[in-house]
Amino acid sequence: MGSPHMEPDHTPADTTPPAATPPAPDHTAPALTAPDHTASTPTASTPVAPALAAPAPVAAAPTTPPFSITIDGAYAARLARSGDAWFPERWTLDGPEPYAVPLPGNQPEEPGTQVQPMADGRVLIHRLVEHRHTFSLLYPTGPGTGELLLGAVECVEPDSRLTLLPPAPGGARAYALAVGTRSTVVWLVAGGAFAPERIAEVPGRCSGGVWLDRTGRMLALDREMDGRTKAVVVDLERAGEVSPLLQIAEGSDDRLLLADPDSGLLLISSDAPSPGRERLGWGVLGSTLPVRFPECLRVPDCVVTPFAIQPGQVLMPENCGVALRIDGPYGTWVGVWRPADRQIQHLRAPDGWPVGTGLWTADGALRVPYATDQVPCGVAQMTAGREQDPATADAGAGAGTDPADTGTNASSDSGTDSGTGTGTGMGMGTGTDAGARAEEAQAAAEVAPEPSPTPTTPGAPEPPEASEPFVPRPVPLQQAPLAAPSAAPFGAPLGGLVTKWHRSV
């Protein structure tokens, strides 16, 4: 670990929006940075209808994408391109109109360089120089770019890798994950009192990274040990104390993909219901109720990856909107799904979308960034339509704005939610009684008649161009009590460990 070069810690006011710069295409990162997220984006003339085939496995837990957004949605950062040169770029999203500020350094950046926005408008940059990982904060200084060097972390093991974790709650701190041969180290690389600080060491090789609370204390990681991957929770305020979080079956690989602290909704992937093939499932944080694996999330011949959950839905995890990245033979597009529904709405992504990025607002609008030659910094707002009880329904199909003017198409999959074998799951709570929260939501749920399938080809979603009404079927959480809760070693209440699975539509 190198010593930081200290400079005054200040952030000058934003400069005026710069002239248009070419958008950054998706790129493949080198071995010691985040993995590739390259995918094509369907254009207006490209049909989006995957061919019928055996269900593809879901993607592994996503890591930091090439386009990163703060949790509050105020800032974003990406590695942009001008000709053959790469440079960091910060987007300001909380004003009347989004605009980008280029932050070029003294020389072009490597294509795999990672960037992450901070809450104060500065941009954290992670560079790899041989075996040294350096971290700096960038900020605009009129015509130039200011840089505050934070320090470096050296990885000497030949197969080690270090990547930034997703933006932390609050945006004042940033963390990185250094994966070694036998253990993984969590580093605080920005926002601490010193240079990069070693916060915790977790036995095993870890990946992913999901924040479970609004304080940045509880971090969920997918840990690989003895040939199996299980999600664990790391308490960063108790010397990195590690506790089990998710185990569906003893021999299954169980990963946590996304979590929403407000509602407690979890999105997971596991091969327990279909050995050898990962499936998307959902559960409630701290609940004793089982994980569900909806059949509608098995899109034929496609890979489905969740990337954003609607916040603010306290006591209503089933009503949270979940944004999905869907990769198929016809390109990549956006899907919207809710646990209370039995279908995915397929929405056309805007041209220039950094695939797998976006942010939900509490009122149910999905904000998706994009960059083209004509619009170098844009945000399309997608509102997915739902048909509800006539007394409370807000009729209408979802529509995008600007180039993303996205119609919706409801693809209905009849069948069953498949569940998992015996095991444990959903470990820690967040200071509220998530089990009671789930039961209250369950009591309010009413089962509606199952909608008949709408696509002409069973199991295959139609191109997301025409709007089509559908009837959602709320899925009540299972009522049967499960195993008794286990004690929380770090003081937060733990939900009972899941010991059975549930099968329903």
mmCIF file of all heavy atoms in Angstrom, residues 267-301:
data_model
loop_
_atom_site.group_PDB
_atom_site.id
_atom_site.type_symbol
_atom_site.label_atom_id
_atom_site.label_comp_id
_atom_site.label_asym_id
_atom_site.label_seq_id
_atom_site.Cartn_x
_atom_site.Cartn_y
_atom_site.Cartn_z
ATOM 1 N N LEU A 267 -33.222 -10.190 -4.772
ATOM 2 C CA LEU A 267 -33.165 -10.928 -6.025
ATOM 3 C C LEU A 267 -31.952 -11.838 -5.966
ATOM 4 O O LEU A 267 -30.832 -11.367 -5.720
ATOM 5 C CB LEU A 267 -33.057 -9.982 -7.227
ATOM 6 C CG LEU A 267 -34.358 -9.483 -7.871
ATOM 7 C CD1 LEU A 267 -35.116 -10.638 -8.504
ATOM 8 C CD2 LEU A 267 -35.226 -8.744 -6.874
ATOM 9 N N ILE A 268 -32.168 -13.124 -6.151
ATOM 10 C CA ILE A 268 -31.082 -14.085 -6.018
ATOM 11 C C ILE A 268 -30.996 -14.944 -7.275
ATOM 12 O O ILE A 268 -31.919 -14.968 -8.100
ATOM 13 C CB ILE A 268 -31.277 -14.999 -4.788
ATOM 14 C CG1 ILE A 268 -32.414 -15.986 -5.054
ATOM 15 C CG2 ILE A 268 -31.548 -14.196 -3.540
ATOM 16 C CD1 ILE A 268 -32.404 -17.173 -4.131
ATOM 17 N N SER A 269 -29.896 -15.661 -7.423
ATOM 18 C CA SER A 269 -29.788 -16.706 -8.429
ATOM 19 C C SER A 269 -29.320 -17.967 -7.739
ATOM 20 O O SER A 269 -28.508 -17.926 -6.817
ATOM 21 C CB SER A 269 -28.820 -16.307 -9.547
ATOM 22 O OG SER A 269 -27.477 -16.356 -9.088
ATOM 23 N N SER A 270 -29.869 -19.096 -8.175
ATOM 24 C CA SER A 270 -29.526 -20.379 -7.570
ATOM 25 C C SER A 270 -29.778 -21.484 -8.577
ATOM 26 O O SER A 270 -30.670 -21.377 -9.436
ATOM 27 C CB SER A 270 -30.358 -20.630 -6.311
ATOM 28 O OG SER A 270 -30.113 -21.911 -5.778
ATOM 29 N N ASP A 271 -28.981 -22.552 -8.482
ATOM 30 C CA ASP A 271 -29.213 -23.720 -9.316
ATOM 31 C C ASP A 271 -29.935 -24.817 -8.545
ATOM 32 O O ASP A 271 -30.031 -25.949 -9.024
ATOM 33 C CB ASP A 271 -27.899 -24.242 -9.894
ATOM 34 C CG ASP A 271 -26.915 -24.668 -8.813
ATOM 35 O OD1 ASP A 271 -27.230 -24.513 -7.609
ATOM 36 O OD2 ASP A 271 -25.826 -25.156 -9.168
ATOM 37 N N ALA A 272 -30.462 -24.495 -7.360
ATOM 38 C CA ALA A 272 -31.160 -25.501 -6.570
ATOM 39 C C ALA A 272 -32.419 -26.028 -7.260
ATOM 40 O O ALA A 272 -32.644 -27.240 -7.272
ATOM 41 C CB ALA A 272 -31.494 -24.940 -5.188
ATOM 42 N N PRO A 273 -33.284 -25.168 -7.841
ATOM 43 C CA PRO A 273 -34.496 -25.709 -8.467
ATOM 44 C C PRO A 273 -34.231 -26.445 -9.772
ATOM 45 O O PRO A 273 -35.027 -27.282 -10.175
ATOM 46 C CB PRO A 273 -35.357 -24.468 -8.713
ATOM 47 C CG PRO A 273 -34.397 -23.350 -8.798
ATOM 48 C CD PRO A 273 -33.282 -23.691 -7.845
ATOM 49 N N SER A 274 -33.129 -26.125 -10.454
ATOM 50 C CA SER A 274 -32.781 -26.763 -11.725
ATOM 51 C C SER A 274 -31.293 -27.059 -11.709
ATOM 52 O O SER A 274 -30.489 -26.233 -12.169
ATOM 53 C CB SER A 274 -33.131 -25.853 -12.912
ATOM 54 O OG SER A 274 -34.496 -25.500 -12.901
ATOM 55 N N PRO A 275 -30.880 -28.186 -11.146
ATOM 56 C CA PRO A 275 -29.442 -28.473 -11.019
ATOM 57 C C PRO A 275 -28.708 -28.310 -12.337
ATOM 58 O O PRO A 275 -29.130 -28.799 -13.379
ATOM 59 C CB PRO A 275 -29.429 -29.936 -10.551
ATOM 60 C CG PRO A 275 -30.729 -30.104 -9.832
ATOM 61 C CD PRO A 275 -31.711 -29.256 -10.583
ATOM 62 N N GLY A 276 -27.613 -27.555 -12.268
ATOM 63 C CA GLY A 276 -26.813 -27.290 -13.452
ATOM 64 C C GLY A 276 -27.205 -26.040 -14.204
ATOM 65 O O GLY A 276 -26.486 -25.609 -15.098
ATOM 66 N N ARG A 277 -28.348 -25.446 -13.861
ATOM 67 C CA ARG A 277 -28.807 -24.220 -14.526
ATOM 68 C C ARG A 277 -29.286 -23.239 -13.471
ATOM 69 O O ARG A 277 -30.156 -23.565 -12.662
ATOM 70 C CB ARG A 277 -29.945 -24.509 -15.509
ATOM 71 C CG ARG A 277 -29.547 -25.354 -16.702
ATOM 72 C CD ARG A 277 -30.723 -25.561 -17.623
ATOM 73 N NE ARG A 277 -31.803 -26.276 -16.946
ATOM 74 C CZ ARG A 277 -32.989 -26.512 -17.496
ATOM 75 N NH1 ARG A 277 -33.262 -26.054 -18.710
ATOM 76 N NH2 ARG A 277 -33.914 -27.181 -16.838
ATOM 77 N N GLU A 278 -28.741 -22.058 -13.491
ATOM 78 C CA GLU A 278 -29.131 -21.061 -12.493
ATOM 79 C C GLU A 278 -30.493 -20.470 -12.835
ATOM 80 O O GLU A 278 -30.827 -20.273 -13.996
ATOM 81 C CB GLU A 278 -28.070 -19.963 -12.401
ATOM 82 C CG GLU A 278 -26.756 -20.447 -11.814
ATOM 83 C CD GLU A 278 -25.802 -19.315 -11.507
ATOM 84 O OE1 GLU A 278 -26.139 -18.173 -11.845
ATOM 85 O OE2 GLU A 278 -24.736 -19.583 -10.929
ATOM 86 N N ARG A 279 -31.251 -20.173 -11.790
ATOM 87 C CA ARG A 279 -32.570 -19.583 -11.934
ATOM 88 C C ARG A 279 -32.652 -18.313 -11.116
ATOM 89 O O ARG A 279 -32.018 -18.183 -10.060
ATOM 90 C CB ARG A 279 -33.640 -20.563 -11.420
ATOM 91 C CG ARG A 279 -33.804 -21.838 -12.237
ATOM 92 C CD ARG A 279 -34.716 -21.617 -13.411
ATOM 93 N NE ARG A 279 -36.014 -21.118 -12.996
ATOM 94 C CZ ARG A 279 -37.019 -21.891 -12.595
ATOM 95 N NH1 ARG A 279 -36.873 -23.206 -12.541
ATOM 96 N NH2 ARG A 279 -38.190 -21.360 -12.257
ATOM 97 N N LEU A 280 -33.451 -17.366 -11.568
ATOM 98 C CA LEU A 280 -33.713 -16.152 -10.816
ATOM 99 C C LEU A 280 -34.821 -16.408 -9.803
ATOM 100 O O LEU A 280 -35.849 -17.005 -10.126
ATOM 101 C CB LEU A 280 -34.138 -15.015 -11.743
ATOM 102 C CG LEU A 280 -33.052 -14.195 -12.415
ATOM 103 C CD1 LEU A 280 -33.684 -13.138 -13.312
ATOM 104 C CD2 LEU A 280 -32.155 -13.546 -11.390
ATOM 105 N N GLY A 281 -34.620 -15.913 -8.586
ATOM 106 C CA GLY A 281 -35.640 -16.041 -7.557
ATOM 107 C C GLY A 281 -35.718 -14.782 -6.722
ATOM 108 O O GLY A 281 -34.910 -13.868 -6.867
ATOM 109 N N TRP A 282 -36.716 -14.734 -5.829
ATOM 110 C CA TRP A 282 -36.872 -13.562 -4.977
ATOM 111 C C TRP A 282 -37.306 -14.013 -3.581
ATOM 112 O O TRP A 282 -37.902 -15.071 -3.391
ATOM 113 C CB TRP A 282 -37.887 -12.572 -5.550
ATOM 114 C CG TRP A 282 -39.317 -13.040 -5.549
ATOM 115 C CD1 TRP A 282 -39.917 -13.870 -6.454
ATOM 116 C CD2 TRP A 282 -40.326 -12.714 -4.593
ATOM 117 N NE1 TRP A 282 -41.236 -14.075 -6.122
ATOM 118 C CE2 TRP A 282 -41.513 -13.381 -4.985
ATOM 119 C CE3 TRP A 282 -40.342 -11.919 -3.447
ATOM 120 C CZ2 TRP A 282 -42.702 -13.269 -4.278
ATOM 121 C CZ3 TRP A 282 -41.541 -11.823 -2.727
ATOM 122 C CH2 TRP A 282 -42.703 -12.479 -3.150
ATOM 123 N N GLY A 283 -36.976 -13.203 -2.601
ATOM 124 C CA GLY A 283 -37.365 -13.431 -1.221
ATOM 125 C C GLY A 283 -37.393 -12.104 -0.494
ATOM 126 O O GLY A 283 -37.199 -11.047 -1.088
ATOM 127 N N VAL A 284 -37.620 -12.166 0.809
ATOM 128 C CA VAL A 284 -37.707 -10.955 1.627
ATOM 129 C C VAL A 284 -36.648 -11.028 2.720
ATOM 130 O O VAL A 284 -36.539 -12.037 3.423
ATOM 131 C CB VAL A 284 -39.106 -10.792 2.245
ATOM 132 C CG1 VAL A 284 -39.165 -9.549 3.125
ATOM 133 C CG2 VAL A 284 -40.159 -10.709 1.146
ATOM 134 N N LEU A 285 -35.873 -9.975 2.844
ATOM 135 C CA LEU A 285 -34.777 -9.918 3.801
ATOM 136 C C LEU A 285 -35.294 -10.093 5.226
ATOM 137 O O LEU A 285 -36.216 -9.413 5.659
ATOM 138 C CB LEU A 285 -34.066 -8.573 3.674
ATOM 139 C CG LEU A 285 -32.755 -8.396 4.416
ATOM 140 C CD1 LEU A 285 -31.690 -9.295 3.840
ATOM 141 C CD2 LEU A 285 -32.315 -6.941 4.349
ATOM 142 N N GLY A 286 -34.699 -11.025 5.954
ATOM 143 C CA GLY A 286 -35.085 -11.257 7.328
ATOM 144 C C GLY A 286 -36.314 -12.113 7.509
ATOM 145 O O GLY A 286 -36.714 -12.374 8.632
ATOM 146 N N SER A 287 -36.932 -12.552 6.414
ATOM 147 C CA SER A 287 -38.166 -13.315 6.515
ATOM 148 C C SER A 287 -37.876 -14.803 6.661
ATOM 149 O O SER A 287 -36.845 -15.299 6.202
ATOM 150 C CB SER A 287 -39.024 -13.084 5.268
ATOM 151 O OG SER A 287 -40.160 -13.925 5.274
ATOM 152 N N THR A 288 -38.799 -15.521 7.295
ATOM 153 C CA THR A 288 -38.703 -16.984 7.361
ATOM 154 C C THR A 288 -39.374 -17.639 6.171
ATOM 155 O O THR A 288 -39.399 -18.865 6.074
ATOM 156 C CB THR A 288 -39.365 -17.500 8.643
ATOM 157 O OG1 THR A 288 -40.747 -17.140 8.635
ATOM 158 C CG2 THR A 288 -38.683 -16.912 9.876
ATOM 159 N N LEU A 289 -39.937 -16.864 5.285
ATOM 160 C CA LEU A 289 -40.669 -17.404 4.146
ATOM 161 C C LEU A 289 -39.693 -17.843 3.055
ATOM 162 O O LEU A 289 -38.598 -17.313 2.928
ATOM 163 C CB LEU A 289 -41.637 -16.351 3.614
ATOM 164 C CG LEU A 289 -42.651 -15.879 4.653
ATOM 165 C CD1 LEU A 289 -43.459 -14.714 4.134
ATOM 166 C CD2 LEU A 289 -43.572 -17.028 5.043
ATOM 167 N N PRO A 290 -40.086 -18.808 2.244
ATOM 168 C CA PRO A 290 -39.138 -19.393 1.282
ATOM 169 C C PRO A 290 -38.883 -18.506 0.075
ATOM 170 O O PRO A 290 -39.666 -17.622 -0.254
ATOM 171 C CB PRO A 290 -39.834 -20.684 0.855
ATOM 172 C CG PRO A 290 -41.291 -20.384 1.023
ATOM 173 C CD PRO A 290 -41.388 -19.493 2.223
ATOM 174 N N VAL A 291 -37.787 -18.784 -0.581
ATOM 175 C CA VAL A 291 -37.454 -18.123 -1.838
ATOM 176 C C VAL A 291 -38.344 -18.683 -2.940
ATOM 177 O O VAL A 291 -38.640 -19.877 -2.967
ATOM 178 C CB VAL A 291 -35.973 -18.356 -2.189
ATOM 179 C CG1 VAL A 291 -35.637 -17.794 -3.560
ATOM 180 C CG2 VAL A 291 -35.078 -17.745 -1.125
ATOM 181 N N ARG A 292 -38.794 -17.822 -3.830
ATOM 182 C CA ARG A 292 -39.623 -18.234 -4.959
ATOM 183 C C ARG A 292 -38.846 -18.059 -6.254
ATOM 184 O O ARG A 292 -38.064 -17.121 -6.406
ATOM 185 C CB ARG A 292 -40.912 -17.409 -5.024
ATOM 186 C CG ARG A 292 -41.833 -17.640 -3.829
ATOM 187 C CD ARG A 292 -42.936 -16.601 -3.810
ATOM 188 N NE ARG A 292 -43.838 -16.809 -2.690
ATOM 189 C CZ ARG A 292 -44.937 -17.549 -2.754
ATOM 190 N NH1 ARG A 292 -45.259 -18.141 -3.884
ATOM 191 N NH2 ARG A 292 -45.708 -17.700 -1.698
ATOM 192 N N PHE A 293 -39.110 -18.939 -7.213
ATOM 193 C CA PHE A 293 -38.451 -18.896 -8.510
ATOM 194 C C PHE A 293 -39.518 -18.839 -9.599
ATOM 195 O O PHE A 293 -39.954 -19.870 -10.113
ATOM 196 C CB PHE A 293 -37.534 -20.108 -8.704
ATOM 197 C CG PHE A 293 -36.362 -20.118 -7.775
ATOM 198 C CD1 PHE A 293 -36.462 -20.672 -6.509
ATOM 199 C CD2 PHE A 293 -35.159 -19.561 -8.167
ATOM 200 C CE1 PHE A 293 -35.377 -20.666 -5.649
ATOM 201 C CE2 PHE A 293 -34.071 -19.553 -7.320
ATOM 202 C CZ PHE A 293 -34.179 -20.096 -6.050
ATOM 203 N N PRO A 294 -39.996 -17.637 -9.955
ATOM 204 C CA PRO A 294 -41.094 -17.515 -10.928
ATOM 205 C C PRO A 294 -40.715 -18.071 -12.290
ATOM 206 O O PRO A 294 -39.617 -17.843 -12.804
ATOM 207 C CB PRO A 294 -41.337 -16.002 -11.002
ATOM 208 C CG PRO A 294 -40.757 -15.463 -9.728
ATOM 209 C CD PRO A 294 -39.592 -16.333 -9.418
ATOM 210 N N GLU A 295 -41.648 -18.776 -12.869
ATOM 211 C CA GLU A 295 -41.429 -19.351 -14.188
ATOM 212 C C GLU A 295 -41.293 -18.265 -15.247
ATOM 213 O O GLU A 295 -40.574 -18.441 -16.243
ATOM 214 C CB GLU A 295 -42.586 -20.287 -14.544
ATOM 215 C CG GLU A 295 -42.364 -21.131 -15.786
ATOM 216 C CD GLU A 295 -41.298 -22.194 -15.589
ATOM 217 O OE1 GLU A 295 -41.010 -22.541 -14.426
ATOM 218 O OE2 GLU A 295 -40.758 -22.668 -16.610
ATOM 219 N N CYS A 296 -41.950 -17.122 -15.049
ATOM 220 C CA CYS A 296 -41.914 -16.075 -16.073
ATOM 221 C C CYS A 296 -40.528 -15.458 -16.219
ATOM 222 O O CYS A 296 -40.238 -14.800 -17.230
ATOM 223 C CB CYS A 296 -42.936 -14.982 -15.767
ATOM 224 S SG CYS A 296 -42.588 -14.026 -14.275
ATOM 225 N N LEU A 297 -39.656 -15.638 -15.222
ATOM 226 C CA LEU A 297 -38.306 -15.100 -15.336
ATOM 227 C C LEU A 297 -37.378 -15.999 -16.137
ATOM 228 O O LEU A 297 -36.215 -15.666 -16.331
ATOM 229 C CB LEU A 297 -37.711 -14.869 -13.934
ATOM 230 C CG LEU A 297 -38.410 -13.803 -13.092
ATOM 231 C CD1 LEU A 297 -37.716 -13.641 -11.750
ATOM 232 C CD2 LEU A 297 -38.449 -12.466 -13.833
ATOM 233 N N ARG A 298 -37.881 -17.118 -16.605
ATOM 234 C CA ARG A 298 -37.107 -18.000 -17.479
ATOM 235 C C ARG A 298 -37.462 -17.656 -18.922
ATOM 236 O O ARG A 298 -38.345 -18.259 -19.529
ATOM 237 C CB ARG A 298 -37.396 -19.464 -17.186
ATOM 238 C CG ARG A 298 -37.139 -19.865 -15.741
ATOM 239 C CD ARG A 298 -37.516 -21.312 -15.490
ATOM 240 N NE ARG A 298 -36.597 -22.237 -16.133
ATOM 241 C CZ ARG A 298 -36.755 -23.551 -16.165
ATOM 242 N NH1 ARG A 298 -37.831 -24.096 -15.621
ATOM 243 N NH2 ARG A 298 -35.864 -24.324 -16.750
ATOM 244 N N VAL A 299 -36.821 -16.668 -19.486
ATOM 245 C CA VAL A 299 -37.100 -16.230 -20.854
ATOM 246 C C VAL A 299 -36.350 -17.147 -21.812
ATOM 247 O O VAL A 299 -35.130 -17.281 -21.709
ATOM 248 C CB VAL A 299 -36.682 -14.768 -21.065
ATOM 249 C CG1 VAL A 299 -37.019 -14.309 -22.477
ATOM 250 C CG2 VAL A 299 -37.378 -13.877 -20.038
ATOM 251 N N PRO A 300 -37.035 -17.792 -22.749
ATOM 252 C CA PRO A 300 -36.382 -18.761 -23.632
ATOM 253 C C PRO A 300 -35.220 -18.147 -24.408
ATOM 254 O O PRO A 300 -35.331 -17.051 -24.960
ATOM 255 C CB PRO A 300 -37.500 -19.197 -24.582
ATOM 256 C CG PRO A 300 -38.758 -18.922 -23.824
ATOM 257 C CD PRO A 300 -38.481 -17.712 -23.000
ATOM 258 N N ASP A 301 -34.116 -18.861 -24.421
ATOM 259 C CA ASP A 301 -32.947 -18.501 -25.225
ATOM 260 C C ASP A 301 -32.371 -17.145 -24.855
ATOM 261 O O ASP A 301 -31.755 -16.483 -25.674
ATOM 262 C CB ASP A 301 -33.303 -18.520 -26.717
ATOM 263 C CG ASP A 301 -32.072 -18.752 -27.576
ATOM 264 O OD1 ASP A 301 -31.127 -19.416 -27.105
ATOM 265 O OD2 ASP A 301 -32.047 -18.257 -28.719
#
